[in-house]
Amino acid sequence: MASLNKVLLQTPATFLIARRFRGKINIQKPKKPHFEKQLLIDITQPTYGPPKSSLPQYAFCNNDKPTFTKKEIDNPFERILARECLEWFNTSKMVVFLHLNSINMEDKTPIFAALKKNDMHLRTYGKKIMSMATTGTRYEVVNQLFTSHQNVIFGQPKNANKMFKILKKAPQLVVMAGIIEDRMMSKNELVEFSNLPNLEVARSQLCSVLQSAGSCLVSQLNQNQQILVSHLEKHIEILSAPEKNKEDS
């Protein structure tokens, strides 16, 4: 037993032990509390109005209740955020609005870093700040997309394809709509736009189409002349054939 006590930890013994008073507590006539406790009890005592049975019928009419208007508080920080949001709208040629489902920061941080690496910025704004930023501007229609805090991606149109590849890793971020070159687009239109080639490839394709059309037009214009020349050469050969036969004979 002595060796077992050495192995196991022993609980220290306390010097003071709280014990209940030996006498019985009088429940029917309890002892009066001291002044401060009685003062707190009196202050926190609830007050009840008259019972509904004693009130007249017109007291239950809802039209007689006064209407209180909530006073808007001017928050300087919200005005700063609204000014920043409007600046993002004016400087970004691609604005994509996302619906955010439940996601933790461990899954959202890599998406934020990947977008930042590809020159795209993920921002979160509330309905009030978005309304302050876009009211009276050409972007006022986007207020219909905001019900609470929404995520917005600001970037350039050339990175649209990279954006969809990054968002595939986070299905919690759902694309709702976007603005490309001051044009409102749905999700399907954004996907179709992201699959388009870049400007240099489109220019090269346009040049090849114009060149092929020009060469086809030149060949069509020269076709009649070439046919006429071939017919004349054939006719000269036919006329010169008897003379050659006479010289040979």
Side-chain angles (χ1 to χ4, degrees):
M1 189 68 182
S3 61
L4 184 62
N5 292 331
K6 292 180 180 180
V7 175
L8 300 177
L9 295 176
Q10 297 180 1
T11 57
T14 58
F15 295 99
L16 298 177
I17 300 175
R19 293 185 178 180
R20 188 174 177 180
F21 186 67
R22 293 182 181 179
K24 295 181 179 180
I25 298 175
N26 191 352
I27 301 175
Q28 296 181 354
K29 295 182 180 180
K31 185 179 179 181
K32 292 184 179 182
H34 54 82
F35 175 76
E36 294 180 355
K37 185 176 181 181
Q38 185 63 40
L39 181 63
L40 180 62
I41 292 173
D42 295 339
I43 293 174
T44 57
Q45 190 72 21
T47 57
Y48 301 98
K52 292 184 178 181
S53 59
S54 61
L55 295 176
Q57 292 294 329
Y58 64 85
F60 300 99
C61 183
N62 295 327
N63 296 329
D64 294 339
K65 293 182 178 180
T67 56
F68 298 96
T69 57
K70 186 178 179 181
K71 185 179 180 181
E72 293 290 338
I73 301 175
D74 185 17
N75 192 340
F77 183 64
E78 290 181 350
R79 285 190 277 106
I80 293 173
L81 292 178
R83 194 182 308 115
E84 179 191 8
C85 179
L86 183 59
E87 185 177 357
W88 278 113
F89 271 97
N90 293 329
T91 56
S92 301
K93 295 184 179 180
M94 182 184 71
V95 182
V96 180
F97 304 96
L98 305 176
H99 172 71
L100 180 65
N101 292 323
S102 179
I103 184 173
N104 52 22
M105 290 304 298
E106 294 181 359
D107 297 335
K108 189 177 180 180
T109 302
I111 304 300
F112 179 84
L115 292 172
K116 179 71 174 179
K117 186 177 180 181
N118 290 278
D119 197 17
M120 289 178 285
H121 306 275
L122 179 63
R123 293 289 184 269
T124 304
Y125 294 107
K127 183 178 180 180
K128 183 178 179 181
I129 295 175
M130 185 60 63
S131 178
M132 292 173 60
T134 59
T135 300
T137 63
R138 56 184 176 179
Y139 307 109
E140 190 172 1
V141 69
V142 302
N143 290 328
Q144 300 177 5
L145 299 175
F146 280 75
T147 55
S148 60
H149 284 76
Q150 301 290 124
N151 287 263
V152 187
I153 296 177
F154 299 96
Q156 300 301 324
K158 62 182 180 180
N159 299 324
N161 193 12
K162 295 180 181 179
M163 180 195 67
F164 280 103
K165 290 181 180 179
I166 295 172
L167 292 180
K168 284 183 179 179
K169 301 178 183 178
Q172 296 89 346
L173 299 174
V174 182
V175 177
M176 296 190 298
I179 300 175
I180 302 291
E181 298 288 347
D182 297 335
R183 179 184 174 187
M184 195 74 177
M185 293 185 179
S186 62
K187 180 183 178 181
N188 296 331
E189 291 175 345
L190 288 174
V191 173
E192 184 178 356
F193 178 82
S194 64
N195 295 327
L196 294 176
N198 55 17
L199 186 59
E200 296 179 357
V201 176
R203 285 176 178 174
S204 62
Q205 292 178 355
L206 178 61
C207 291
S208 63
V209 170
L210 294 176
Q211 186 177 1
S212 62
S215 60
C216 181
L217 179 61
V218 170
S219 63
Q220 289 178 359
L221 292 174
N222 294 333
Q223 184 177 5
N224 295 330
Q225 297 177 3
Q226 291 175 358
I227 293 172
L228 179 60
V229 170
S230 63
H231 286 174
L232 290 175
E233 289 177 353
K234 184 66 70 176
H235 184 66
I236 292 171
E237 290 178 0
I238 293 171
L239 292 177
S240 61
E243 295 179 359
K244 289 182 180 180
N245 292 332
K246 290 180 181 180
E247 291 177 357
D248 294 338
S249 61

